[in-house]
Amino acid sequence: MPDLATPLIEWYRDNARDLPWRHPGFGAWGTLVSEFMLQQTPVNRVIPHLEAWLARWPTPTSLAADAPAEAVRQWANLGYPRRALWLHRAAVEIRDRHDGIVPRDVDALLALSGIGDYTARAVAVFAYGDRHPVVDTNTRRVLARAIDGRSQPGPPARRDLAAMAEILPIADAEAAVMNAATMELGAVACTARSPRCDACPIADRCAWRAAGYPDTGDERRRQARYEGSDRQARGAVLRELRDAAAHAVPLTDVARDWPDALQRDRAIDSLIADGLAEASEGHLRLPS
């Protein structure tokens, strides 16, 4: 196994982007909120929403004291609004189970609503400085190329954590930087479509480069088109509810101009099933 840590950590310390969650003292709650928001959402869209969220709810307890509808409304146009509902539920659980303090233990984090392997380890590592492998899409791509000689990673698997663990330095602080550095490299240089190998600090030890950049196939799941999709219909309904007085609209008026009435009804039904909306007394409203 080539030494990837030494050049990657040195590169990261010289080149890391200045992002809010990387500032000293950002805190576990801010880290948790940022990780929820960053799922499938670009950094530049997240930052203003993150700042507004933490200004309004600086602690889990402050969010837990507010209605779920307010979390969904504040989420605005970030997309995948179930994340707002899960974050609110996690805040309630943190208040009730952990005295309002985001837990440090990975298993305790995994027991919270909406938190999976990546988010749990990201909080433990980036907020608390513990030593765990943290693997996101960017990390998996770097590992696939540098170690396995593949042009793109395969489907997510538990072995990804083991692969990352193998290249982590022993010291906790260095391991945390290595996790962040690998993610950063995948985000800004070792990108999916146009990798910038000239800017890569581990190009001289990359298996994919050494093999001549073979096309080994792409098994990544393709995201369905948004335009005209059920997701777009759901977003239109939620936008109406967020903008309406008291966050409620008569059912007969919800997305009245949507071109596909069946799709609109399907969107309403799915929002109710997901807990993002409630129907009562002839109105559709955000969850109470």
Side-chain angles (χ1 to χ4, degrees):
M1 179 74 66
D3 173 23
L4 303 180
T6 300
L8 256 178
I9 290 173
E10 181 178 349
W11 169 84
Y12 178 79
R13 285 176 169 154
D14 290 338
N15 295 278
R17 292 169 293 173
D18 181 19
L19 301 174
W21 44 89
R22 292 176 176 166
H23 294 174
F26 190 68
W29 172 238
T31 301
L32 181 62
V33 174
S34 70
E35 294 297 351
F36 266 80
M37 290 185 171
L38 286 163
Q39 295 168 27
Q40 303 183 65
T41 307
V43 165
N44 61 344
R45 286 190 61 206
V46 164
I47 290 175
H49 287 281
L50 174 66
E51 291 172 344
W53 188 283
L54 294 177
R56 181 172 182 180
W57 297 303
T59 65
T61 300
S62 59
L63 174 58
D66 228 332
E70 290 304 306
V72 175
R73 188 184 69 79
Q74 186 71 37
W75 199 258
N77 63 345
L78 268 175
Y80 300 96
R82 275 179 291 184
R83 292 179 291 171
L85 208 56
W86 290 336
L87 186 51
H88 184 275
R89 290 173 186 165
V92 172
E93 293 160 357
I94 292 167
R95 180 195 64 190
D96 295 346
R97 300 178 195 168
H98 303 284
D99 297 323
I101 304 298
V102 175
R104 180 172 190 160
D105 178 74
V106 167
D107 287 338
L109 286 160
L110 285 168
L112 299 175
S113 293
I115 294 185
D117 280 334
Y118 167 76
T119 302
R121 286 167 174 77
V123 171
V125 171
F126 301 134
Y128 290 116
D130 293 343
R131 187 182 184 277
H132 300 283
V134 181
V135 176
D136 73 347
T137 299
N138 292 315
T139 300
R140 292 176 57 250
R141 185 167 53 254
V142 170
L143 295 177
R145 290 174 176 169
I147 297 174
D148 299 330
R150 294 180 54 82
S151 53
Q152 299 293 346
R158 293 292 299 179
R159 64 178 176 271
D160 299 332
L161 290 172
M164 188 63 198
E166 282 190 36
I167 65 172
L168 287 182
I170 298 300
D172 290 358
E174 295 289 292
V177 175
M178 179 60 177
N179 276 305
T182 309
M183 293 167 60
E184 184 78 346
L185 184 69
V188 304
C190 192
T191 57
R193 293 177 180 164
S194 303
R196 296 169 49 233
C197 298
D198 59 321
C200 177
I202 57 172
D204 63 342
R205 56 202 77 188
C206 173
W208 185 50
R209 180 172 180 265
Y213 306 108
D215 183 355
T216 60
D218 189 349
E219 302 173 30
R220 291 176 298 162
R221 182 180 177 184
R222 295 284 185 249
Q223 184 165 311
R225 181 181 174 185
Y226 181 74
E227 197 70 28
S229 67
D230 283 8
R231 279 184 56 221
Q232 186 184 31
R234 283 165 56 98
V237 172
L238 273 181
R239 187 163 53 250
E240 279 195 18
L241 297 181
R242 285 196 303 265
D243 294 344
H247 308 313
V249 176
L251 276 166
T252 54
D253 292 342
V254 174
R256 177 184 289 178
D257 297 329
W258 192 257
D260 185 337
L262 288 176
Q263 185 181 52
R264 176 201 60 209
D265 293 345
R266 190 164 62 243
I268 291 171
D269 289 343
S270 70
L271 289 169
I272 293 171
D274 288 343
L276 286 162
E278 297 173 348
S280 64
E281 299 179 351
H283 284 72
L284 189 70
R285 53 177 44 85
L286 292 180
S288 56

